[in-house]
Tab-separated table of all heavy atoms in Angstrom:
chain	number	residue	atom	x	y	z
N	1237	GLU	N	0.823	-1.207	0.000
N	1237	GLU	CA	0.000	0.000	0.000
N	1237	GLU	C	0.861	1.263	0.000
N	1237	GLU	O	0.441	2.309	-0.493
N	1237	GLU	CB	-0.922	-0.002	1.230
N	1237	GLU	CG	-1.859	-1.207	1.296
N	1237	GLU	CD	-2.672	-1.204	2.578
N	1237	GLU	OE1	-2.560	-0.222	3.347
N	1237	GLU	OE2	-3.413	-2.163	2.820
N	1238	TYR	N	2.045	1.175	0.575
N	1238	TYR	CA	2.947	2.321	0.639
N	1238	TYR	C	3.821	2.442	-0.605
N	1238	TYR	O	4.223	3.548	-0.979
N	1238	TYR	CB	3.853	2.217	1.877
N	1238	TYR	CG	3.149	2.530	3.170
N	1238	TYR	CD1	2.398	1.551	3.820
N	1238	TYR	CD2	3.213	3.799	3.735
N	1238	TYR	CE1	1.736	1.840	5.003
N	1238	TYR	CE2	2.554	4.095	4.916
N	1238	TYR	CZ	1.812	3.105	5.542
N	1238	TYR	OH	1.147	3.393	6.711
N	1239	GLU	N	4.110	1.325	-1.237
N	1239	GLU	CA	5.081	1.327	-2.328
N	1239	GLU	C	4.732	2.290	-3.450
N	1239	GLU	O	5.584	3.044	-3.930
N	1239	GLU	CB	5.244	-0.089	-2.893
N	1239	GLU	CG	6.245	-0.930	-2.146
N	1239	GLU	CD	6.686	-2.129	-2.949
N	1239	GLU	OE1	7.416	-1.937	-3.944
N	1239	GLU	OE2	6.287	-3.252	-2.597
N	1240	GLU	N	3.500	2.270	-3.896
N	1240	GLU	CA	3.116	3.113	-5.033
N	1240	GLU	C	3.261	4.596	-4.697
N	1240	GLU	O	3.689	5.394	-5.537
N	1240	GLU	CB	1.679	2.795	-5.464
N	1240	GLU	CG	1.499	1.406	-6.047
N	1240	GLU	CD	2.456	1.149	-7.210
N	1240	GLU	OE1	2.566	2.020	-8.106
N	1240	GLU	OE2	3.096	0.086	-7.224
N	1241	ILE	N	2.925	4.966	-3.472
N	1241	ILE	CA	3.051	6.364	-3.059
N	1241	ILE	C	4.521	6.755	-2.931
N	1241	ILE	O	4.935	7.833	-3.360
N	1241	ILE	CB	2.302	6.589	-1.735
N	1241	ILE	CG1	0.799	6.463	-1.965
N	1241	ILE	CG2	2.635	7.962	-1.147
N	1241	ILE	CD1	-0.022	6.512	-0.708
N	1242	ILE	N	5.321	5.865	-2.357
N	1242	ILE	CA	6.755	6.143	-2.212
N	1242	ILE	C	7.403	6.313	-3.579
N	1242	ILE	O	8.211	7.218	-3.806
N	1242	ILE	CB	7.439	5.021	-1.413
N	1242	ILE	CG1	6.899	4.985	0.021
N	1242	ILE	CG2	8.953	5.220	-1.390
N	1242	ILE	CD1	7.275	3.728	0.791
N	1243	LYS	N	7.050	5.450	-4.515
N	1243	LYS	CA	7.619	5.522	-5.874
N	1243	LYS	C	7.245	6.833	-6.555
N	1243	LYS	O	8.028	7.378	-7.337
N	1243	LYS	CB	7.136	4.333	-6.714
N	1243	LYS	CG	7.852	3.031	-6.379
N	1243	LYS	CD	7.548	1.947	-7.404
N	1243	LYS	CE	6.172	1.384	-7.220
N	1243	LYS	NZ	5.939	0.215	-8.107
N	1244	LYS	N	6.060	7.353	-6.260
N	1244	LYS	CA	5.601	8.578	-6.897
N	1244	LYS	C	6.214	9.822	-6.283
N	1244	LYS	O	6.635	10.743	-6.999
N	1244	LYS	CB	4.068	8.670	-6.813
N	1244	LYS	CG	3.491	9.935	-7.445
N	1244	LYS	CD	1.975	9.959	-7.359
N	1244	LYS	CE	1.409	11.240	-7.981
N	1244	LYS	NZ	-0.080	11.283	-7.898
N	1245	PHE	N	6.291	9.879	-4.945
N	1245	PHE	CA	6.708	11.105	-4.267
N	1245	PHE	C	8.170	11.093	-3.812
N	1245	PHE	O	8.700	12.136	-3.446
N	1245	PHE	CB	5.794	11.377	-3.067
N	1245	PHE	CG	4.426	11.860	-3.455
N	1245	PHE	CD1	3.389	10.968	-3.663
N	1245	PHE	CD2	4.190	13.210	-3.652
N	1245	PHE	CE1	2.125	11.408	-4.046
N	1245	PHE	CE2	2.935	13.666	-4.035
N	1245	PHE	CZ	1.905	12.762	-4.237
N	1246	SER	N	8.809	9.942	-3.845
N	1246	SER	CA	10.223	9.865	-3.500
N	1246	SER	C	10.880	8.723	-4.273
N	1246	SER	O	11.400	7.768	-3.687
N	1246	SER	CB	10.382	9.650	-1.986
N	1246	SER	OG	11.727	9.764	-1.615
N	1247	PRO	N	10.860	8.811	-5.602
N	1247	PRO	CA	11.299	7.670	-6.420
N	1247	PRO	C	12.769	7.303	-6.245
N	1247	PRO	O	13.110	6.116	-6.240
N	1247	PRO	CB	11.005	8.138	-7.853
N	1247	PRO	CG	10.965	9.636	-7.777
N	1247	PRO	CD	10.399	9.944	-6.432
N	1248	ASP	N	13.631	8.289	-6.103
N	1248	ASP	CA	15.062	7.981	-5.966
N	1248	ASP	C	15.359	7.253	-4.662
N	1248	ASP	O	16.155	6.307	-4.635
N	1248	ASP	CB	15.890	9.263	-6.048
N	1248	ASP	CG	15.937	9.840	-7.454
N	1248	ASP	OD1	15.436	9.177	-8.381
N	1248	ASP	OD2	16.469	10.948	-7.622
N	1249	LEU	N	14.735	7.699	-3.573
N	1249	LEU	CA	14.974	7.035	-2.296
N	1249	LEU	C	14.364	5.645	-2.270
N	1249	LEU	O	14.904	4.728	-1.627
N	1249	LEU	CB	14.427	7.881	-1.148
N	1249	LEU	CG	15.144	9.211	-0.913
N	1249	LEU	CD1	14.502	9.975	0.239
N	1249	LEU	CD2	16.620	8.989	-0.633
N	1250	TYR	N	13.260	5.469	-2.956
N	1250	TYR	CA	12.672	4.132	-3.082
N	1250	TYR	C	13.642	3.194	-3.788
N	1250	TYR	O	13.905	2.075	-3.321
N	1250	TYR	CB	11.356	4.214	-3.851
N	1250	TYR	CG	10.780	2.857	-4.225
N	1250	TYR	CD1	10.149	2.064	-3.275
N	1250	TYR	CD2	10.878	2.378	-5.530
N	1250	TYR	CE1	9.620	0.828	-3.611
N	1250	TYR	CE2	10.358	1.140	-5.876
N	1250	TYR	CZ	9.734	0.372	-4.912
N	1250	TYR	OH	9.217	-0.865	-5.251
N	1251	GLN	N	14.203	3.650	-4.896
N	1251	GLN	CA	15.137	2.808	-5.638
N	1251	GLN	C	16.423	2.589	-4.836
N	1251	GLN	O	17.013	1.498	-4.889
N	1251	GLN	CB	15.462	3.425	-6.994
N	1251	GLN	CG	16.179	2.475	-7.948
N	1251	GLN	CD	15.376	1.211	-8.213
N	1251	GLN	OE1	14.201	1.273	-8.578
N	1251	GLN	NE2	16.000	0.064	-8.012
N	1252	LEU	N	16.837	3.609	-4.104
N	1252	LEU	CA	18.018	3.459	-3.263
N	1252	LEU	C	17.789	2.379	-2.207
N	1252	LEU	O	18.674	1.554	-1.932
N	1252	LEU	CB	18.360	4.790	-2.589
N	1252	LEU	CG	19.555	4.813	-1.637
N	1252	LEU	CD1	20.826	4.339	-2.332
N	1252	LEU	CD2	19.757	6.210	-1.048
N	1253	ALA	N	16.606	2.354	-1.613
N	1253	ALA	CA	16.279	1.326	-0.622
N	1253	ALA	C	16.315	-0.065	-1.244
N	1253	ALA	O	16.810	-1.024	-0.634
N	1253	ALA	CB	14.912	1.605	-0.005
N	1254	LYS	N	15.801	-0.196	-2.462
N	1254	LYS	CA	15.801	-1.499	-3.125
N	1254	LYS	C	17.226	-1.944	-3.456
N	1254	LYS	O	17.588	-3.114	-3.261
N	1254	LYS	CB	14.939	-1.457	-4.383
N	1254	LYS	CG	13.451	-1.266	-4.120
N	1254	LYS	CD	12.590	-1.622	-5.332
N	1254	LYS	CE	12.576	-3.112	-5.570
N	1254	LYS	NZ	11.621	-3.503	-6.628
N	1255	ASN	N	18.028	-1.030	-3.965
N	1255	ASN	CA	19.416	-1.371	-4.266
N	1255	ASN	C	20.191	-1.733	-2.998
N	1255	ASN	O	21.012	-2.654	-2.999
N	1255	ASN	CB	20.107	-0.213	-4.986
N	1255	ASN	CG	19.752	-0.120	-6.450
N	1255	ASN	OD1	18.606	-0.377	-6.821
N	1255	ASN	ND2	20.692	0.247	-7.289
N	1256	LEU	N	19.917	-1.001	-1.927
N	1256	LEU	CA	20.584	-1.279	-0.670
N	1256	LEU	C	20.215	-2.674	-0.163
N	1256	LEU	O	21.079	-3.422	0.313
N	1256	LEU	CB	20.200	-0.221	0.364
N	1256	LEU	CG	20.782	-0.381	1.763
N	1256	LEU	CD1	22.303	-0.335	1.729
N	1256	LEU	CD2	20.236	0.711	2.692
N	1257	ALA	N	18.940	-3.008	-0.247
N	1257	ALA	CA	18.508	-4.343	0.168
N	1257	ALA	C	19.212	-5.431	-0.626
N	1257	ALA	O	19.604	-6.472	-0.080
N	1257	ALA	CB	16.994	-4.465	0.009
N	1258	ASN	N	19.412	-5.176	-1.911
N	1258	ASN	CA	20.109	-6.139	-2.754
N	1258	ASN	C	21.572	-6.299	-2.310
N	1258	ASN	O	22.107	-7.418	-2.262
N	1258	ASN	CB	20.044	-5.697	-4.211
N	1258	ASN	CG	20.639	-6.718	-5.157
N	1258	ASN	OD1	20.184	-7.855	-5.226
N	1258	ASN	ND2	21.657	-6.315	-5.903
N	1259	GLU	N	22.219	-5.175	-1.991
N	1259	GLU	CA	23.603	-5.219	-1.525
N	1259	GLU	C	23.728	-5.983	-0.203
N	1259	GLU	O	24.731	-6.672	0.039
N	1259	GLU	CB	24.150	-3.802	-1.336
N	1259	GLU	CG	24.317	-3.003	-2.612
N	1259	GLU	CD	25.477	-3.495	-3.471
N	1259	GLU	OE1	26.392	-4.136	-2.915
N	1259	GLU	OE2	25.457	-3.235	-4.686
N	1260	LEU	N	22.712	-5.865	0.642
N	1260	LEU	CA	22.738	-6.495	1.962
N	1260	LEU	C	22.130	-7.887	1.963
N	1260	LEU	O	22.163	-8.588	2.980
N	1260	LEU	CB	21.992	-5.619	2.976
N	1260	LEU	CG	22.571	-4.222	3.222
N	1260	LEU	CD1	21.620	-3.400	4.076
N	1260	LEU	CD2	23.934	-4.310	3.892
N	1261	ASN	N	21.518	-8.246	0.824
N	1261	ASN	CA	20.872	-9.554	0.681
N	1261	ASN	C	19.742	-9.736	1.699
N	1261	ASN	O	19.643	-10.762	2.385
N	1261	ASN	CB	21.887	-10.690	0.811
N	1261	ASN	CG	21.328	-12.020	0.312
N	1261	ASN	OD1	20.461	-12.066	-0.568
N	1261	ASN	ND2	21.816	-13.118	0.886
N	1262	VAL	N	18.888	-8.691	1.818
N	1262	VAL	CA	17.709	-8.765	2.678
N	1262	VAL	C	16.480	-8.384	1.857
N	1262	VAL	O	16.586	-7.750	0.801
N	1262	VAL	CB	17.830	-7.826	3.904
N	1262	VAL	CG1	19.038	-8.190	4.743
N	1262	VAL	CG2	17.887	-6.367	3.478
N	1263	ASP	N	15.327	-8.773	2.319
N	1263	ASP	CA	14.068	-8.431	1.662
N	1263	ASP	C	13.881	-6.907	1.732
N	1263	ASP	O	13.845	-6.329	2.826
N	1263	ASP	CB	12.909	-9.146	2.363
N	1263	ASP	CG	11.558	-8.946	1.681
N	1263	ASP	OD1	11.423	-8.004	0.876
N	1263	ASP	OD2	10.646	-9.722	1.972
N	1264	TYR	N	13.767	-6.239	0.576
N	1264	TYR	CA	13.651	-4.779	0.569
N	1264	TYR	C	12.434	-4.298	1.332
N	1264	TYR	O	12.399	-3.171	1.839
N	1264	TYR	CB	13.626	-4.253	-0.871
N	1264	TYR	CG	12.305	-4.383	-1.577
N	1264	TYR	CD1	11.387	-3.346	-1.592
N	1264	TYR	CD2	11.948	-5.563	-2.233
N	1264	TYR	CE1	10.165	-3.451	-2.231
N	1264	TYR	CE2	10.736	-5.685	-2.882
N	1264	TYR	CZ	9.845	-4.631	-2.875
N	1264	TYR	OH	8.644	-4.751	-3.509
N	1265	ARG	N	11.408	-5.138	1.455
N	1265	ARG	CA	10.197	-4.731	2.160
N	1265	ARG	C	10.468	-4.555	3.653
N	1265	ARG	O	9.767	-3.783	4.320
N	1265	ARG	CB	9.084	-5.745	1.926
N	1265	ARG	CG	8.611	-5.810	0.477
N	1265	ARG	CD	7.617	-6.920	0.259
N	1265	ARG	NE	8.215	-8.218	0.562
N	1265	ARG	CZ	7.542	-9.383	0.521
N	1265	ARG	NH1	6.264	-9.387	0.196
N	1265	ARG	NH2	8.152	-10.521	0.808
N	1266	ARG	N	11.473	-5.240	4.176
N	1266	ARG	CA	11.847	-5.035	5.582
N	1266	ARG	C	12.458	-3.649	5.770
N	1266	ARG	O	12.225	-2.991	6.792
N	1266	ARG	CB	12.834	-6.122	6.027
N	1266	ARG	CG	12.214	-7.501	6.132
N	1266	ARG	CD	13.285	-8.565	6.349
N	1266	ARG	NE	13.986	-8.386	7.623
N	1266	ARG	CZ	15.105	-9.031	7.944
N	1266	ARG	NH1	15.658	-9.871	7.074
N	1266	ARG	NH2	15.679	-8.817	9.123
N	1267	ILE	N	13.231	-3.184	4.787
N	1267	ILE	CA	13.784	-1.829	4.852
N	1267	ILE	C	12.675	-0.795	4.712
N	1267	ILE	O	12.631	0.201	5.438
N	1267	ILE	CB	14.866	-1.634	3.778
N	1267	ILE	CG1	16.109	-2.463	4.138
N	1267	ILE	CG2	15.231	-0.155	3.626
N	1267	ILE	CD1	17.235	-2.337	3.157
N	1268	LEU	N	11.748	-1.026	3.773
N	1268	LEU	CA	10.636	-0.085	3.614
N	1268	LEU	C	9.809	-0.004	4.887
N	1268	LEU	O	9.412	1.088	5.316
N	1268	LEU	CB	9.749	-0.503	2.441
N	1268	LEU	CG	10.325	-0.399	1.032
N	1268	LEU	CD1	9.242	-0.680	0.004
N	1268	LEU	CD2	10.952	0.968	0.771
N	1269	ALA	N	9.528	-1.157	5.509
N	1269	ALA	CA	8.713	-1.169	6.722
N	1269	ALA	C	9.379	-0.363	7.832
N	1269	ALA	O	8.721	0.405	8.548
N	1269	ALA	CB	8.472	-2.599	7.177
N	1270	PHE	N	10.700	-0.500	7.959
N	1270	PHE	CA	11.414	0.136	9.065
N	1270	PHE	C	11.642	1.619	8.834
N	1270	PHE	O	11.594	2.420	9.768
N	1270	PHE	CB	12.764	-0.567	9.267
N	1270	PHE	CG	13.511	-0.113	10.492
N	1270	PHE	CD1	12.986	-0.330	11.757
N	1270	PHE	CD2	14.730	0.522	10.384
N	1270	PHE	CE1	13.667	0.077	12.899
N	1270	PHE	CE2	15.420	0.930	11.521
N	1270	PHE	CZ	14.888	0.702	12.777
N	1271	GLU	N	11.853	2.029	7.587
N	1271	GLU	CA	12.287	3.391	7.302
N	1271	GLU	C	11.215	4.256	6.646
N	1271	GLU	O	11.240	5.472	6.769
N	1271	GLU	CB	13.523	3.347	6.402
N	1271	GLU	CG	14.288	4.647	6.295
N	1271	GLU	CD	15.204	4.912	7.470
N	1271	GLU	OE1	14.817	4.591	8.608
N	1271	GLU	OE2	16.311	5.428	7.264
N	1272	PHE	N	10.263	3.659	5.953
N	1272	PHE	CA	9.323	4.418	5.134
N	1272	PHE	C	7.878	4.339	5.613
N	1272	PHE	O	6.990	4.876	4.963
N	1272	PHE	CB	9.359	3.912	3.685
N	1272	PHE	CG	10.623	4.237	2.933
N	1272	PHE	CD1	11.799	3.556	3.169
N	1272	PHE	CD2	10.629	5.233	1.958
N	1272	PHE	CE1	12.958	3.843	2.462
N	1272	PHE	CE2	11.782	5.524	1.246
N	1272	PHE	CZ	12.950	4.831	1.504
N	1273	THR	N	7.612	3.661	6.719
N	1273	THR	CA	6.238	3.470	7.177
N	1273	THR	C	6.138	3.760	8.675
N	1273	THR	O	7.160	3.870	9.359
N	1273	THR	CB	5.763	2.021	6.921
N	1273	THR	OG1	6.331	1.157	7.922
N	1273	THR	CG2	6.154	1.534	5.531
N	1274	PRO	N	4.915	3.830	9.227
N	1274	PRO	CA	4.770	4.095	10.670
N	1274	PRO	C	5.053	2.881	11.547
N	1274	PRO	O	4.806	2.935	12.753
N	1274	PRO	CB	3.311	4.552	10.789
N	1274	PRO	CG	2.620	3.948	9.638
N	1274	PRO	CD	3.622	3.935	8.529
N	1275	MET	N	5.574	1.792	10.988
N	1275	MET	CA	5.954	0.642	11.802
N	1275	MET	C	7.344	0.896	12.391
N	1275	MET	O	8.276	0.114	12.229
N	1275	MET	CB	5.986	-0.649	10.970
N	1275	MET	CG	4.632	-1.110	10.460
N	1275	MET	SD	4.113	-0.215	8.987
N	1275	MET	CE	2.750	-1.215	8.403
N	1276	ARG	N	7.513	2.018	13.055
N	1276	ARG	CA	8.828	2.433	13.522
N	1276	ARG	C	8.683	3.183	14.845
N	1276	ARG	O	7.582	3.360	15.360
N	1276	ARG	CB	9.524	3.317	12.476
N	1276	ARG	CG	8.735	4.569	12.108
N	1276	ARG	CD	9.368	5.355	10.985
N	1276	ARG	NE	10.588	6.018	11.420
N	1276	ARG	CZ	11.794	5.700	10.976
N	1276	ARG	NH1	11.956	4.724	10.116
N	1276	ARG	NH2	12.863	6.347	11.399
N	1277	PHE	N	9.787	3.673	15.387
N	1277	PHE	CA	9.779	4.353	16.671
N	1277	PHE	C	9.133	5.735	16.552
N	1277	PHE	O	9.081	6.328	15.488
N	1277	PHE	CB	11.198	4.478	17.237
N	1277	PHE	CG	12.235	4.847	16.221
N	1277	PHE	CD1	12.382	6.167	15.806
N	1277	PHE	CD2	13.046	3.892	15.656
N	1277	PHE	CE1	13.331	6.513	14.867
N	1277	PHE	CE2	13.987	4.228	14.701
N	1277	PHE	CZ	14.133	5.537	14.310
C-alpha cells in the first residue's frame, strides 16, 4: 500500500532502498517497513 506512493513522491529514495537491500541480501520490504512506514519508533 505504501510502495506506489513512495515511488511517486520519492522515487530515488525508493530505488536506493531497493538497491541497498540487494547489496545487503535482505528483503527490501523489511527496509521499507522500518524506514518508510509508521511501523517504527
Side-chain angles (χ1 to χ4, degrees):
E1237 301 176 5
Y1238 285 83
E1239 275 197 71
E1240 293 305 313
I1241 291 173
I1242 295 167
K1243 283 191 285 187
K1244 179 179 179 180
F1245 287 91
S1246 188
D1248 288 353
L1249 293 179
Y1250 171 76
Q1251 193 58 52
L1252 178 57
K1254 293 196 71 173
N1255 282 37
L1256 178 61
N1258 185 60
E1259 293 288 337
L1260 298 171
N1261 195 28
V1262 300
D1263 185 342
Y1264 79 94
R1265 294 174 299 177
R1266 291 171 64 192
I1267 290 180
L1268 292 187
F1270 187 64
E1271 194 80 322
F1272 290 75
T1273 77
M1275 293 80 167
R1276 58 186 289 113
F1277 42 79

